Short mmCIF file of all heavy atoms in Angstrom, two decimals:
data_model
loop_
_atom_site.label_atom_id
_atom_site.label_comp_id
_atom_site.label_asym_id
_atom_site.label_seq_id
_atom_site.Cartn_x
_atom_site.Cartn_y
_atom_site.Cartn_z
N MET W 237 0.84 -1.18 0.00
CA MET W 237 0.00 0.00 0.00
C MET W 237 0.88 1.25 0.00
O MET W 237 1.81 1.35 0.80
CB MET W 237 -0.90 0.00 1.23
CG MET W 237 -1.83 1.16 1.29
SD MET W 237 -3.04 1.03 2.60
CE MET W 237 -2.14 1.76 3.93
N THR W 238 0.58 2.17 -0.88
CA THR W 238 1.34 3.40 -0.99
C THR W 238 0.73 4.47 -0.10
O THR W 238 -0.48 4.70 -0.14
CB THR W 238 1.36 3.89 -2.45
OG1 THR W 238 1.90 2.86 -3.26
CG2 THR W 238 2.19 5.13 -2.59
N LEU W 239 1.57 5.11 0.67
CA LEU W 239 1.12 6.20 1.55
C LEU W 239 1.23 7.50 0.78
O LEU W 239 2.29 7.85 0.26
CB LEU W 239 1.99 6.25 2.80
CG LEU W 239 1.67 7.34 3.81
CD1 LEU W 239 0.26 7.15 4.36
CD2 LEU W 239 2.67 7.27 4.95
N ARG W 240 0.13 8.20 0.68
CA ARG W 240 0.09 9.49 -0.03
C ARG W 240 -0.13 10.61 0.97
O ARG W 240 -0.82 10.46 1.97
CB ARG W 240 -1.07 9.51 -1.02
CG ARG W 240 -0.99 8.45 -2.07
CD ARG W 240 -0.18 8.90 -3.23
NE ARG W 240 -0.19 7.86 -4.24
CZ ARG W 240 0.86 7.52 -4.93
NH1 ARG W 240 1.99 8.12 -4.75
NH2 ARG W 240 0.79 6.56 -5.82
N VAL W 241 0.45 11.75 0.67
CA VAL W 241 0.23 12.92 1.49
C VAL W 241 -1.07 13.57 1.03
O VAL W 241 -1.41 13.55 -0.15
CB VAL W 241 1.43 13.89 1.41
CG1 VAL W 241 1.53 14.54 0.05
CG2 VAL W 241 1.39 14.92 2.48
N ARG W 242 -1.83 14.11 1.99
CA ARG W 242 -3.11 14.73 1.65
C ARG W 242 -2.87 16.02 0.87
O ARG W 242 -1.77 16.56 0.84
CB ARG W 242 -3.90 15.02 2.92
CG ARG W 242 -3.23 16.06 3.81
CD ARG W 242 -4.18 16.54 4.87
NE ARG W 242 -3.55 17.41 5.84
CZ ARG W 242 -3.21 18.67 5.63
NH1 ARG W 242 -3.39 19.21 4.46
NH2 ARG W 242 -2.66 19.40 6.58
N ASP W 243 -3.93 16.52 0.26
CA ASP W 243 -3.85 17.81 -0.44
C ASP W 243 -3.58 18.91 0.58
O ASP W 243 -4.11 18.89 1.70
CB ASP W 243 -5.16 18.11 -1.17
CG ASP W 243 -5.38 17.19 -2.36
OD1 ASP W 243 -4.38 16.69 -2.91
OD2 ASP W 243 -6.55 16.96 -2.72
N LEU W 244 -2.76 19.85 0.19
CA LEU W 244 -2.41 20.95 1.08
C LEU W 244 -3.54 21.98 1.13
O LEU W 244 -4.19 22.26 0.13
CB LEU W 244 -1.13 21.63 0.61
CG LEU W 244 0.12 20.75 0.57
CD1 LEU W 244 1.30 21.56 0.06
CD2 LEU W 244 0.43 20.16 1.92
N HIS W 245 -3.76 22.53 2.31
CA HIS W 245 -4.74 23.59 2.48
C HIS W 245 -4.13 24.92 2.03
O HIS W 245 -2.92 25.01 1.80
CB HIS W 245 -5.17 23.72 3.95
CG HIS W 245 -5.81 22.49 4.49
ND1 HIS W 245 -6.96 21.96 3.95
CD2 HIS W 245 -5.48 21.69 5.53
CE1 HIS W 245 -7.30 20.89 4.63
NE2 HIS W 245 -6.42 20.69 5.60
N GLU W 246 -4.96 25.93 1.93
CA GLU W 246 -4.50 27.25 1.50
C GLU W 246 -3.39 27.75 2.42
O GLU W 246 -3.51 27.73 3.64
CB GLU W 246 -5.66 28.23 1.53
CG GLU W 246 -5.31 29.58 0.99
CD GLU W 246 -6.51 30.52 0.98
OE1 GLU W 246 -7.65 30.04 0.85
OE2 GLU W 246 -6.29 31.72 1.10
N GLY W 247 -2.30 28.16 1.83
CA GLY W 247 -1.18 28.69 2.60
C GLY W 247 -0.17 27.66 3.07
O GLY W 247 0.94 28.00 3.43
N GLU W 248 -0.56 26.39 3.07
CA GLU W 248 0.36 25.36 3.55
C GLU W 248 1.56 25.17 2.64
O GLU W 248 2.66 24.92 3.12
CB GLU W 248 -0.35 24.02 3.73
CG GLU W 248 -1.10 23.87 5.02
CD GLU W 248 -1.68 22.49 5.23
OE1 GLU W 248 -2.07 21.84 4.25
OE2 GLU W 248 -1.73 22.08 6.39
N ALA W 249 1.36 25.29 1.34
CA ALA W 249 2.47 25.10 0.41
C ALA W 249 3.56 26.13 0.65
O ALA W 249 4.75 25.80 0.67
CB ALA W 249 1.98 25.17 -1.03
N GLU W 250 3.16 27.38 0.85
CA GLU W 250 4.14 28.44 1.09
C GLU W 250 4.85 28.24 2.43
O GLU W 250 6.06 28.41 2.53
CB GLU W 250 3.46 29.82 1.06
CG GLU W 250 2.92 30.22 -0.30
CD GLU W 250 1.56 29.60 -0.59
OE1 GLU W 250 0.89 29.11 0.35
OE2 GLU W 250 1.17 29.59 -1.77
N GLU W 251 4.08 27.89 3.45
CA GLU W 251 4.65 27.66 4.77
C GLU W 251 5.61 26.47 4.75
O GLU W 251 6.69 26.51 5.34
CB GLU W 251 3.54 27.43 5.80
CG GLU W 251 4.04 27.16 7.20
CD GLU W 251 4.70 28.36 7.86
OE1 GLU W 251 4.60 29.48 7.33
OE2 GLU W 251 5.34 28.16 8.91
N LEU W 252 5.24 25.43 4.05
CA LEU W 252 6.08 24.25 3.93
C LEU W 252 7.39 24.59 3.22
O LEU W 252 8.47 24.19 3.67
CB LEU W 252 5.33 23.15 3.18
CG LEU W 252 5.95 21.78 3.13
CD1 LEU W 252 6.12 21.21 4.53
CD2 LEU W 252 5.08 20.85 2.30
N ALA W 253 7.32 25.34 2.15
CA ALA W 253 8.52 25.75 1.42
C ALA W 253 9.43 26.60 2.31
O ALA W 253 10.64 26.43 2.32
CB ALA W 253 8.14 26.50 0.16
N ARG W 254 8.82 27.50 3.09
CA ARG W 254 9.60 28.34 4.00
C ARG W 254 10.30 27.48 5.06
O ARG W 254 11.47 27.70 5.37
CB ARG W 254 8.68 29.36 4.68
CG ARG W 254 9.42 30.37 5.55
CD ARG W 254 8.47 31.16 6.43
NE ARG W 254 7.76 30.35 7.41
CZ ARG W 254 8.31 29.88 8.54
NH1 ARG W 254 9.56 30.13 8.82
NH2 ARG W 254 7.59 29.17 9.38
N MET W 255 9.59 26.50 5.57
CA MET W 255 10.16 25.65 6.60
C MET W 255 11.33 24.81 6.07
O MET W 255 12.32 24.60 6.79
CB MET W 255 9.09 24.72 7.18
CG MET W 255 8.05 25.44 8.02
SD MET W 255 6.70 24.37 8.55
CE MET W 255 7.55 23.39 9.79
N THR W 256 11.23 24.32 4.85
CA THR W 256 12.30 23.48 4.31
C THR W 256 13.59 24.26 4.09
O THR W 256 14.67 23.67 4.10
CB THR W 256 11.89 22.82 2.97
OG1 THR W 256 11.60 23.82 2.01
CG2 THR W 256 10.71 21.90 3.15
N ARG W 257 13.48 25.59 3.92
CA ARG W 257 14.66 26.42 3.69
C ARG W 257 15.16 27.12 4.95
O ARG W 257 16.18 27.81 4.91
CB ARG W 257 14.35 27.48 2.63
CG ARG W 257 14.06 26.92 1.27
CD ARG W 257 13.90 28.04 0.24
NE ARG W 257 12.99 29.09 0.66
CZ ARG W 257 11.70 29.15 0.38
NH1 ARG W 257 11.15 28.19 -0.31
NH2 ARG W 257 10.95 30.16 0.79
N SER W 258 14.45 26.98 6.04
CA SER W 258 14.75 27.74 7.25
C SER W 258 16.12 27.41 7.83
O SER W 258 16.54 26.26 7.85
CB SER W 258 13.68 27.48 8.31
OG SER W 258 14.00 28.18 9.50
N ARG W 259 16.78 28.44 8.31
CA ARG W 259 18.05 28.27 9.02
C ARG W 259 17.87 28.57 10.50
O ARG W 259 18.81 28.46 11.27
CB ARG W 259 19.10 29.20 8.43
CG ARG W 259 19.50 28.82 7.00
CD ARG W 259 20.56 29.77 6.52
NE ARG W 259 21.46 29.32 5.53
CZ ARG W 259 22.32 28.31 5.57
NH1 ARG W 259 22.34 27.53 6.59
NH2 ARG W 259 23.14 28.06 4.59
N THR W 260 16.66 28.94 10.90
CA THR W 260 16.42 29.28 12.31
C THR W 260 15.54 28.25 13.03
O THR W 260 15.59 28.18 14.25
CB THR W 260 15.76 30.66 12.44
OG1 THR W 260 14.54 30.67 11.70
CG2 THR W 260 16.69 31.75 11.90
N LEU W 261 14.76 27.48 12.28
CA LEU W 261 13.96 26.42 12.91
C LEU W 261 14.88 25.29 13.34
O LEU W 261 15.98 25.12 12.80
CB LEU W 261 12.93 25.87 11.93
CG LEU W 261 11.74 26.74 11.60
CD1 LEU W 261 10.87 26.07 10.54
CD2 LEU W 261 10.92 27.02 12.84
N GLY W 262 14.42 24.48 14.25
CA GLY W 262 15.19 23.32 14.67
C GLY W 262 15.38 22.33 13.54
O GLY W 262 14.55 22.24 12.62
N ALA W 263 16.45 21.57 13.60
CA ALA W 263 16.78 20.62 12.54
C ALA W 263 15.68 19.58 12.35
O ALA W 263 15.39 19.17 11.22
CB ALA W 263 18.11 19.94 12.84
N GLY W 264 15.06 19.16 13.44
CA GLY W 264 14.00 18.17 13.34
C GLY W 264 12.79 18.68 12.58
O GLY W 264 12.22 17.97 11.75
N LEU W 265 12.41 19.93 12.84
CA LEU W 265 11.28 20.52 12.12
C LEU W 265 11.58 20.67 10.63
O LEU W 265 10.72 20.42 9.79
CB LEU W 265 10.93 21.89 12.71
CG LEU W 265 10.27 21.89 14.08
CD1 LEU W 265 10.12 23.32 14.58
CD2 LEU W 265 8.92 21.22 14.02
N VAL W 266 12.79 21.09 10.33
CA VAL W 266 13.18 21.25 8.93
C VAL W 266 13.16 19.89 8.23
O VAL W 266 12.64 19.76 7.12
CB VAL W 266 14.56 21.91 8.81
CG1 VAL W 266 15.06 21.90 7.37
CG2 VAL W 266 14.51 23.34 9.34
N ARG W 267 13.67 18.86 8.90
CA ARG W 267 13.70 17.52 8.31
C ARG W 267 12.28 17.01 8.06
O ARG W 267 11.99 16.44 7.02
CB ARG W 267 14.46 16.57 9.25
CG ARG W 267 14.59 15.14 8.77
CD ARG W 267 15.25 15.01 7.41
NE ARG W 267 16.51 15.68 7.38
CZ ARG W 267 17.64 15.13 7.00
NH1 ARG W 267 17.68 13.88 6.63
NH2 ARG W 267 18.75 15.84 6.97
N ARG W 268 11.38 17.24 9.00
CA ARG W 268 9.99 16.81 8.83
C ARG W 268 9.33 17.55 7.67
O ARG W 268 8.60 16.96 6.88
CB ARG W 268 9.20 17.02 10.11
CG ARG W 268 9.56 15.99 11.15
CD ARG W 268 8.89 16.27 12.46
NE ARG W 268 9.97 16.32 13.46
CZ ARG W 268 9.94 16.96 14.58
NH1 ARG W 268 8.89 17.67 14.92
NH2 ARG W 268 10.96 16.94 15.40
N ALA W 269 9.61 18.83 7.55
CA ALA W 269 9.08 19.61 6.43
C ALA W 269 9.63 19.08 5.11
O ALA W 269 8.90 19.02 4.11
CB ALA W 269 9.41 21.09 6.60
N GLN W 270 10.89 18.70 5.09
CA GLN W 270 11.49 18.14 3.88
C GLN W 270 10.82 16.82 3.49
O GLN W 270 10.58 16.56 2.31
CB GLN W 270 12.99 17.93 4.07
CG GLN W 270 13.78 19.21 4.15
CD GLN W 270 15.22 19.00 4.58
OE1 GLN W 270 15.57 17.97 5.16
NE2 GLN W 270 16.07 19.98 4.29
N ILE W 271 10.51 16.00 4.48
CA ILE W 271 9.81 14.74 4.21
C ILE W 271 8.48 15.01 3.53
O ILE W 271 8.16 14.42 2.49
CB ILE W 271 9.60 13.95 5.52
CG1 ILE W 271 10.94 13.43 6.06
CG2 ILE W 271 8.62 12.79 5.31
CD1 ILE W 271 10.86 12.87 7.47
N VAL W 272 7.71 15.92 4.09
CA VAL W 272 6.40 16.24 3.53
C VAL W 272 6.55 16.86 2.15
O VAL W 272 5.81 16.52 1.22
CB VAL W 272 5.60 17.16 4.48
CG1 VAL W 272 4.30 17.60 3.85
CG2 VAL W 272 5.34 16.45 5.81
N GLN W 273 7.51 17.77 1.99
CA GLN W 273 7.71 18.41 0.68
C GLN W 273 8.06 17.39 -0.39
O GLN W 273 7.56 17.46 -1.51
CB GLN W 273 8.80 19.48 0.77
CG GLN W 273 8.98 20.26 -0.53
CD GLN W 273 7.76 21.07 -0.89
OE1 GLN W 273 7.33 21.91 -0.13
NE2 GLN W 273 7.19 20.81 -2.05
N HIS W 274 8.92 16.44 -0.06
CA HIS W 274 9.26 15.38 -1.03
C HIS W 274 8.02 14.57 -1.41
O HIS W 274 7.85 14.21 -2.57
CB HIS W 274 10.34 14.46 -0.48
CG HIS W 274 11.72 15.02 -0.54
ND1 HIS W 274 12.25 15.62 -1.66
CD2 HIS W 274 12.71 15.05 0.39
CE1 HIS W 274 13.49 16.01 -1.42
NE2 HIS W 274 13.79 15.68 -0.18
N ALA W 275 7.15 14.30 -0.43
CA ALA W 275 5.93 13.57 -0.72
C ALA W 275 5.00 14.38 -1.62
O ALA W 275 4.39 13.84 -2.54
CB ALA W 275 5.22 13.19 0.58
N VAL W 276 4.90 15.67 -1.35
CA VAL W 276 4.09 16.55 -2.20
C VAL W 276 4.64 16.56 -3.62
O VAL W 276 3.88 16.60 -4.59
CB VAL W 276 4.05 17.99 -1.61
CG1 VAL W 276 3.47 18.98 -2.60
CG2 VAL W 276 3.28 18.01 -0.30
N ASP W 277 5.97 16.49 -3.74
CA ASP W 277 6.61 16.49 -5.06
C ASP W 277 6.46 15.16 -5.79
O ASP W 277 6.91 15.03 -6.93
CB ASP W 277 8.09 16.83 -4.91
CG ASP W 277 8.32 18.26 -4.47
OD1 ASP W 277 7.39 19.09 -4.62
OD2 ASP W 277 9.42 18.55 -3.97
N GLY W 278 5.86 14.14 -5.11
CA GLY W 278 5.57 12.89 -5.80
C GLY W 278 6.45 11.71 -5.44
O GLY W 278 6.28 10.63 -6.00
N LEU W 279 7.40 11.90 -4.54
CA LEU W 279 8.25 10.77 -4.15
C LEU W 279 7.49 9.87 -3.18
O LEU W 279 6.66 10.33 -2.41
CB LEU W 279 9.53 11.27 -3.47
CG LEU W 279 10.48 12.10 -4.33
CD1 LEU W 279 11.67 12.56 -3.49
CD2 LEU W 279 10.96 11.32 -5.53
N ASN W 280 7.79 8.57 -3.23
CA ASN W 280 7.18 7.65 -2.28
C ASN W 280 8.09 7.49 -1.06
O ASN W 280 9.22 7.99 -1.05
CB ASN W 280 6.84 6.31 -2.94
CG ASN W 280 8.06 5.60 -3.49
OD1 ASN W 280 9.15 5.73 -2.96
ND2 ASN W 280 7.86 4.84 -4.54
N ALA W 281 7.61 6.79 -0.06
CA ALA W 281 8.34 6.67 1.21
C ALA W 281 9.76 6.08 1.03
O ALA W 281 10.72 6.62 1.59
CB ALA W 281 7.54 5.88 2.22
N PRO W 282 9.94 5.00 0.27
CA PRO W 282 11.30 4.48 0.10
C PRO W 282 12.25 5.49 -0.58
O PRO W 282 13.42 5.59 -0.22
CB PRO W 282 11.11 3.24 -0.77
CG PRO W 282 9.70 2.81 -0.53
CD PRO W 282 8.94 4.09 -0.30
N GLU W 283 11.73 6.24 -1.54
CA GLU W 283 12.55 7.24 -2.23
C GLU W 283 12.91 8.38 -1.29
O GLU W 283 14.05 8.86 -1.30
CB GLU W 283 11.82 7.78 -3.46
CG GLU W 283 11.63 6.75 -4.55
CD GLU W 283 10.67 7.22 -5.65
OE1 GLU W 283 9.78 8.05 -5.37
OE2 GLU W 283 10.83 6.72 -6.78
N ILE W 284 11.96 8.82 -0.49
CA ILE W 284 12.22 9.89 0.47
C ILE W 284 13.26 9.42 1.49
O ILE W 284 14.21 10.13 1.81
CB ILE W 284 10.93 10.32 1.18
CG1 ILE W 284 9.95 10.94 0.18
CG2 ILE W 284 11.23 11.32 2.30
CD1 ILE W 284 8.55 11.12 0.73
N ALA W 285 13.07 8.21 2.01
CA ALA W 285 14.00 7.66 2.99
C ALA W 285 15.42 7.59 2.43
O ALA W 285 16.38 7.97 3.11
CB ALA W 285 13.53 6.27 3.43
N ALA W 286 15.55 7.15 1.20
CA ALA W 286 16.88 7.05 0.59
C ALA W 286 17.50 8.43 0.38
O ALA W 286 18.69 8.62 0.63
CB ALA W 286 16.78 6.31 -0.74
N SER W 287 16.71 9.39 -0.06
CA SER W 287 17.27 10.71 -0.36
C SER W 287 17.66 11.47 0.91
O SER W 287 18.58 12.28 0.88
CB SER W 287 16.30 11.54 -1.19
OG SER W 287 15.17 11.91 -0.43
N LEU W 288 16.96 11.22 2.03
CA LEU W 288 17.25 11.93 3.28
C LEU W 288 18.02 11.07 4.28
O LEU W 288 18.26 11.51 5.40
CB LEU W 288 15.95 12.43 3.91
CG LEU W 288 15.15 13.44 3.10
CD1 LEU W 288 13.85 13.79 3.79
CD2 LEU W 288 15.98 14.70 2.85
N ASP W 289 18.40 9.86 3.87
CA ASP W 289 19.15 8.94 4.73
C ASP W 289 18.40 8.65 6.03
O ASP W 289 18.94 8.80 7.13
CB ASP W 289 20.56 9.48 5.01
CG ASP W 289 21.48 8.40 5.54
OD1 ASP W 289 21.27 7.22 5.20
OD2 ASP W 289 22.41 8.73 6.31
N LEU W 290 17.13 8.28 5.88
CA LEU W 290 16.27 7.93 7.01
C LEU W 290 15.72 6.52 6.78
O LEU W 290 15.78 6.00 5.68
CB LEU W 290 15.09 8.90 7.11
CG LEU W 290 15.40 10.36 7.34
CD1 LEU W 290 14.14 11.20 7.13
CD2 LEU W 290 15.92 10.56 8.75
N CYS W 291 15.14 5.94 7.82
CA CYS W 291 14.46 4.66 7.64
C CYS W 291 13.05 4.93 7.14
O CYS W 291 12.46 5.98 7.42
CB CYS W 291 14.47 3.83 8.92
SG CYS W 291 13.44 4.47 10.23
N GLU W 292 12.51 3.97 6.41
CA GLU W 292 11.18 4.15 5.84
C GLU W 292 10.12 4.31 6.92
O GLU W 292 9.14 5.04 6.72
CB GLU W 292 10.83 2.95 4.96
CG GLU W 292 11.56 2.94 3.64
CD GLU W 292 11.16 1.76 2.78
OE1 GLU W 292 9.94 1.44 2.71
OE2 GLU W 292 12.04 1.15 2.17
N ALA W 293 10.29 3.65 8.05
CA ALA W 293 9.31 3.75 9.13
C ALA W 293 9.19 5.18 9.63
O ALA W 293 8.08 5.67 9.92
CB ALA W 293 9.68 2.82 10.28
N SER W 294 10.30 5.90 9.72
CA SER W 294 10.27 7.30 10.16
C SER W 294 9.54 8.17 9.15
O SER W 294 8.73 9.03 9.52
CB SER W 294 11.69 7.84 10.35
OG SER W 294 12.31 7.21 11.42
N VAL W 295 9.81 7.94 7.89
CA VAL W 295 9.14 8.71 6.83
C VAL W 295 7.64 8.47 6.88
O VAL W 295 6.85 9.41 6.86
CB VAL W 295 9.71 8.34 5.44
CG1 VAL W 295 8.88 8.96 4.33
CG2 VAL W 295 11.17 8.77 5.33
N ARG W 296 7.25 7.21 6.99
CA ARG W 296 5.82 6.88 7.04
C ARG W 296 5.17 7.49 8.28
O ARG W 296 4.04 8.00 8.22
CB ARG W 296 5.62 5.37 7.03
CG ARG W 296 5.99 4.74 5.71
CD ARG W 296 5.80 3.23 5.73
NE ARG W 296 6.41 2.61 4.59
CZ ARG W 296 5.92 2.62 3.37
NH1 ARG W 296 4.79 3.25 3.13
NH2 ARG W 296 6.55 2.03 2.38
N PHE W 297 5.85 7.45 9.42
CA PHE W 297 5.33 8.03 10.65
C PHE W 297 5.01 9.51 10.47
O PHE W 297 3.93 9.98 10.80
CB PHE W 297 6.32 7.84 11.80
CG PHE W 297 5.91 8.53 13.06
CD1 PHE W 297 5.02 7.94 13.93
CD2 PHE W 297 6.41 9.79 13.37
CE1 PHE W 297 4.63 8.59 15.09
CE2 PHE W 297 6.03 10.45 14.53
CZ PHE W 297 5.13 9.85 15.40
N TRP W 298 5.97 10.26 9.92
CA TRP W 298 5.78 11.70 9.77
C TRP W 298 4.75 12.05 8.71
O TRP W 298 4.02 13.03 8.83
CB TRP W 298 7.10 12.41 9.53
CG TRP W 298 7.92 12.40 10.78
CD1 TRP W 298 9.10 11.74 10.98
CD2 TRP W 298 7.60 13.03 12.02
NE1 TRP W 298 9.52 11.93 12.27
CE2 TRP W 298 8.62 12.72 12.94
CE3 TRP W 298 6.55 13.81 12.46
CZ2 TRP W 298 8.61 13.17 14.25
CZ3 TRP W 298 6.54 14.27 13.76
CH2 TRP W 298 7.56 13.95 14.64
N LEU W 299 4.65 11.25 7.66
CA LEU W 299 3.62 11.50 6.66
C LEU W 299 2.23 11.23 7.23
O LEU W 299 1.30 12.02 7.00
CB LEU W 299 3.85 10.64 5.41
CG LEU W 299 5.06 11.03 4.57
CD1 LEU W 299 5.23 10.07 3.40
CD2 LEU W 299 4.98 12.46 4.09
N LYS W 300 2.08 10.16 8.00
CA LYS W 300 0.79 9.88 8.64
C LYS W 300 0.44 10.99 9.62
O LYS W 300 -0.71 11.42 9.70
CB LYS W 300 0.84 8.55 9.37
CG LYS W 300 0.83 7.35 8.45
CD LYS W 300 0.94 6.06 9.24
CE LYS W 300 1.09 4.87 8.34
NZ LYS W 300 1.30 3.63 9.12
N ARG W 301 1.41 11.46 10.35
CA ARG W 301 1.16 12.51 11.33
C ARG W 301 0.75 13.81 10.63
O ARG W 301 -0.15 14.51 11.08
CB ARG W 301 2.39 12.74 12.19
CG ARG W 301 2.10 13.60 13.38
CD ARG W 301 3.21 13.48 14.36
NE ARG W 301 2.80 14.04 15.63
CZ ARG W 301 3.60 14.20 16.64
NH1 ARG W 301 4.85 13.80 16.56
NH2 ARG W 301 3.17 14.72 17.75
N PHE W 302 1.44 14.15 9.54
CA PHE W 302 1.06 15.34 8.78
C PHE W 302 -0.36 15.20 8.24
O PHE W 302 -1.14 16.15 8.31
CB PHE W 302 2.04 15.59 7.62
CG PHE W 302 1.58 16.70 6.72
CD1 PHE W 302 1.74 18.02 7.10
CD2 PHE W 302 0.96 16.42 5.52
CE1 PHE W 302 1.29 19.05 6.28
CE2 PHE W 302 0.51 17.43 4.70
CZ PHE W 302 0.67 18.76 5.08
N ASN W 303 -0.69 14.05 7.70
CA ASN W 303 -2.04 13.84 7.16
C ASN W 303 -3.10 14.02 8.24
O ASN W 303 -4.19 14.52 7.95
CB ASN W 303 -2.15 12.46 6.53
CG ASN W 303 -1.46 12.38 5.18
OD1 ASN W 303 -1.21 13.39 4.55
ND2 ASN W 303 -1.14 11.18 4.76
N ALA W 304 -2.79 13.64 9.46
CA ALA W 304 -3.76 13.73 10.55
C ALA W 304 -3.82 15.12 11.18
O ALA W 304 -4.90 15.60 11.52
CB ALA W 304 -3.43 12.70 11.62
N ARG W 305 -2.66 15.77 11.32
CA ARG W 305 -2.58 17.01 12.10
C ARG W 305 -2.19 18.26 11.32
O ARG W 305 -2.32 19.37 11.83
CB ARG W 305 -1.58 16.84 13.24
CG ARG W 305 -1.95 15.76 14.20
CD ARG W 305 -0.95 15.72 15.31
NE ARG W 305 -1.17 14.57 16.17
CZ ARG W 305 -0.43 14.29 17.22
NH1 ARG W 305 0.58 15.08 17.54
NH2 ARG W 305 -0.69 13.25 17.95
N GLY W 306 -1.61 18.10 10.16
CA GLY W 306 -1.16 19.26 9.40
C GLY W 306 0.20 19.75 9.88
O GLY W 306 0.93 19.03 10.57
N LEU W 307 0.56 20.96 9.54
CA LEU W 307 1.88 21.52 9.88
C LEU W 307 2.11 21.76 11.37
O LEU W 307 3.20 21.49 11.85
CB LEU W 307 2.12 22.82 9.10
CG LEU W 307 2.40 22.65 7.62
CD1 LEU W 307 2.49 24.02 6.95
CD2 LEU W 307 3.67 21.88 7.40
N PRO W 308 1.14 22.28 12.10
CA PRO W 308 1.43 22.56 13.53
C PRO W 308 1.79 21.29 14.26
O PRO W 308 2.66 21.21 15.02
CB PRO W 308 0.13 23.13 14.06
CG PRO W 308 -0.62 23.63 12.89
CD PRO W 308 -0.20 22.74 11.76
#
């Protein structure tokens, strides 16, 4: 089963892009934003995990959490 990221709400795309480029947010927040951004760009969990040097379980966890709760 392929895990897909939900459609972004108004303003989320801009906020997500800002977060992925941030130099002032914590590294964990930036990494989570990068995971979601890669999913929005069409990559699947194994591809995201390989590109960010993470395990697939972590990628899936954060994508599920984003789908349920959004950016905050």
Side-chain angles (χ1 to χ4, degrees):
M237 182 172 88
T238 303
L239 179 62
R240 300 273 183 221
V241 69
R242 65 167 173 75
D243 291 333
L244 299 179
H245 298 301
E246 185 178 331
E248 278 186 326
E250 293 82 16
E251 179 68 12
L252 189 60
R254 186 192 64 77
M255 290 174 73
T256 60
R257 295 186 310 267
S258 178
R259 293 181 153 299
T260 57
L261 287 176
L265 288 174
V266 172
R267 180 57 54 127
R268 286 174 234 154
Q270 290 170 340
I271 291 169
V272 174
Q273 185 64 58
H274 282 313
V276 168
D277 292 341
L279 296 178
N280 60 31
E283 293 169 333
I284 296 168
S287 70
L288 297 177
D289 196 28
L290 299 169
C291 69
E292 286 182 42
S294 293
V295 171
R296 292 179 192 284
F297 174 83
W298 289 114
L299 290 177
K300 287 178 187 176
R301 191 164 194 188
F302 173 78
N303 285 341
R305 299 183 187 180
L307 287 175

